[in-house]
Amino acid sequence: MPIRVLLADDQALLRATFRILIDSCDDMEVVDEATHGTETVDLARVHRPDVVLMDIRMPGTDGLSATTTICADPELSGTRVLILTTFEIDEYVARALRAGASGFLGKDVSADALLDGIRTVASGESLLSPVATRTLITRFLSTPAPSARLGPPDALSALTTREREVMALAAEGHSNDEIAGKLVVSPLTVRTHVHRAMTKLGARDRAQLVVIAYQSGLVRAAPPN
């Protein structure tokens, strides 16, 4: 089955460009297009896509509100949101990640990186580069408003020692292969630990697991330069 993608952007030219690019791939297809947040949510409920390619700044209901609604809907638990933004790091992206978005890309991303990003998010992984993650954590996620906190200090009590270790390395931006090398285990074992930690902590995906790692104090954000 191809990866089913819903496009959400108020710029017709960008939507047309993304559609041509995505539909040119054998393993993915565009199921529909939305121009604002309310329409995005409605179309997501109709099509139940694998990935929503979501612009943050749209007229009326914006992409942030739409992301929050989609990620909170149990019937859309199989839908992943990939944020597209003009700015690589901003507070809106941080809020979207807290809400359950699986990652973000800049709008100046290359065609190959965009397609790879869609595939990564569709597979259940997060799309957070180590540099972007460190900046995001330092500026926004490690000191959230109380209402936005996903990981209170006692949230980790259900995890095993190895699950905490793997979670901490993931929060530092390491891939499964890199974690496997550090711990001298197989990538499959690392993946198992990551998924068990996600299940125990109620994290929607790896991106939320990273947020919880910092907010619970498992990993400390480095002070900004």
Side-chain angles (χ1 to χ4, degrees):
M1 293 289 292
I3 299 169
R4 304 171 69 252
V5 181
L6 172 62
L7 301 178
D9 198 299
D10 63 320
Q11 298 183 46
L13 180 59
L14 274 179
R15 293 198 313 275
T17 301
F18 290 149
R19 176 182 280 275
I20 292 171
L21 180 62
I22 292 168
D23 284 345
S24 69
C25 299
D26 293 336
D27 62 337
M28 60 182 75
E29 64 180 3
V30 174
V31 296
D32 216 329
E33 301 177 19
T35 60
H36 55 78
T38 301
E39 186 180 24
T40 303
V41 174
D42 291 342
L43 291 176
R45 287 171 172 159
V46 170
H47 297 289
R48 300 193 181 185
D50 300 301
V51 176
V52 178
L53 200 57
M54 181 83 76
D55 183 25
I56 286 279
R57 293 175 174 85
M58 293 186 287
T61 302
D62 62 17
L64 177 61
S65 299
T67 297
T68 301
T69 302
I70 289 171
C71 294
D73 189 337
E75 294 187 358
L76 295 176
S77 60
T79 296
R80 300 287 179 260
V81 176
L82 177 57
I83 299 293
L84 281 174
T85 177
T86 305
F87 306 99
E88 185 180 9
I89 301 295
D90 67 11
E91 185 176 2
Y92 295 110
V93 173
R95 289 168 60 191
L97 290 175
R98 292 193 197 108
S102 295
F104 62 93
L105 289 170
K107 284 192 174 181
D108 59 351
V109 67
S110 69
D112 287 343
L114 175 65
L115 297 174
D116 286 344
I118 292 171
R119 294 184 182 102
T120 296
V121 168
S123 73
E125 299 295 330
S126 63
L127 190 66
L128 298 170
S129 71
V131 172
T133 299
R134 284 195 293 272
T135 305
L136 195 66
I137 293 296
T138 299
R139 291 181 59 187
F140 301 115
L141 300 184
S142 59
T143 55
S147 61
R149 185 173 289 277
L150 293 176
D154 60 350
L156 306 181
S157 59
L159 301 186
T160 66
T161 300
R162 180 46 63 94
E163 286 166 355
R164 292 189 190 197
E165 192 173 14
V166 169
M167 181 177 171
L169 290 169
E172 292 172 358
H174 296 292
S175 68
N176 285 354
D177 287 344
E178 290 169 342
I179 296 172
K182 287 178 177 292
L183 300 181
V184 196
V185 296
S186 72
L188 179 59
T189 297
V190 172
R191 185 179 179 88
T192 298
H193 286 310
V194 168
H195 280 275
R196 285 177 179 169
M198 286 168 48
T199 299
K200 291 178 180 180
L201 297 174
R204 181 182 176 90
D205 59 13
R206 193 184 185 104
Q208 282 203 333
L209 196 67
V210 169
V211 175
I212 293 171
Y214 282 90
Q215 292 186 354
S216 64
L218 178 65
V219 179
R220 300 290 182 183
N225 295 329

